[in-house]
Amino acid sequence: MNTSIRSSATQTQTSALESNKVLRNTYALLSLTLLFSAITAGASLLLQLPHPGIIISLVGFFGLYFLTTKLRNSIWGLPSVFALTGFMGYTLGPIIGHYLSMPGGGTIVMNAMAMTGLIFLSLSAYVLTTRKNFSFMGGFLMVGILLAFFAGLAAVFFQIPALALAVSAMFVLLMSGFILYETSNILHGGETNYIMATVSLYVSIYNLFTSLLQILGFLGGDE
């Protein structure tokens, strides 16, 4: 019996050490990808590159996402992550440029950036401090993201500003929930691949930032 207890304790300790390792690697890679994405966004903004459009953006994102998923267990997974986040940074440049061209656009962008950072850090700290398990949110979040995604496409193609604003508000809530879910998933051993954990958190931060931009832009007179 004592042997079983010791074995169980050892397994628990090993699992905790592995989770902490994944967490450290995830935050290290996430920091680098955010920096790289900021550089590509800045380059896109300075060069005044046009936005690739919704179709190319979706094809580029999903293509690079599936490539990263396929390569996640090999050394080529890292270049794939930077290709994905660099591409998303490039698409972000023209979006930021649009808001910077507005009266008070600099304030809108900085506020969206500050709010994104505050939300991410606060939610991550909450999970790491309380160690609560938010795995129960997985199904709800996936359904919500799919609904919001298709509603967002409808808002773009049919040019419905009110729907676009509602979708942005939905994405702020959904991405906040996803940060809780993914951080908890890493902490409790549900996600053991730091490359995929990085991609999940990066996409949440990206969507959170762009959604806040749209909401603050609307409040500032964008629409």
Side-chain angles (χ1 to χ4, degrees):
M1 182 176 179
N2 290 336
T3 302
S4 298
I5 293 174
R6 285 197 299 270
S7 176
S8 177
T10 301
Q11 290 177 357
T12 301
Q13 185 178 14
T14 301
S15 177
L17 289 173
E18 290 177 351
S19 296
N20 289 336
K21 182 180 179 181
V22 173
L23 195 64
R24 288 195 303 271
N25 289 340
T26 297
Y27 282 136
L29 183 57
L30 180 63
S31 299
L32 292 174
T33 53
L34 287 171
L35 177 61
F36 183 65
S37 184
I39 291 172
T40 56
S44 175
L45 182 62
L46 289 174
L47 295 173
Q48 297 184 339
L49 298 178
H51 193 278
I54 185 67
I55 301 300
I56 295 178
S57 295
L58 289 176
V59 171
F61 167 72
F62 283 110
L64 289 169
Y65 178 82
F66 286 124
L67 178 64
T68 302
T69 301
K70 184 176 181 180
L71 299 174
R72 66 186 183 275
N73 293 316
S74 75
I75 193 173
W76 295 106
L78 289 173
S80 181
V81 169
F82 281 99
L84 171 62
T85 56
F87 174 76
M88 294 184 74
Y90 154 62
T91 64
L92 191 58
I95 296 174
I96 293 176
H98 166 72
Y99 287 99
L100 288 176
S101 66
M102 296 170 50
T107 301
I108 291 173
V109 172
M110 292 305 296
N111 285 343
M113 193 176 300
M115 291 173 67
T116 300
L118 181 62
I119 291 171
F120 174 74
L121 292 175
S122 299
L123 294 177
S124 299
Y126 177 75
V127 176
L128 296 175
T129 302
T130 63
R131 302 187 71 85
K132 287 187 176 180
N133 193 331
F134 289 92
S135 59
F136 65 91
M137 298 175 62
F140 167 77
L141 290 172
M142 290 307 299
V143 172
I145 288 171
L146 285 174
L147 290 175
F149 174 74
F150 287 115
L153 289 180
V156 170
F157 286 114
F158 296 106
Q159 297 293 305
I160 308 175
L163 179 58
L165 184 63
V167 169
S168 294
M170 286 176 63
F171 263 106
V172 169
L173 295 175
L174 288 168
M175 292 304 105
S176 297
F178 206 86
I179 290 169
L180 289 173
Y181 168 79
E182 187 59 31
T183 306
S184 168
N185 209 24
I186 299 168
L187 190 63
H188 294 284
E191 177 59 81
T192 58
N193 187 288
Y194 73 94
I195 288 179
M196 296 312 300
T198 297
V199 170
S200 296
L201 289 175
Y202 175 90
V203 171
S204 297
I205 293 170
Y206 179 97
N207 285 323
L208 182 60
F209 175 63
T210 54
S211 297
L212 287 170
L213 266 181
Q214 185 158 11
I215 292 171
L216 293 176
F218 179 87
L219 296 175
D222 180 43
E223 299 296 344

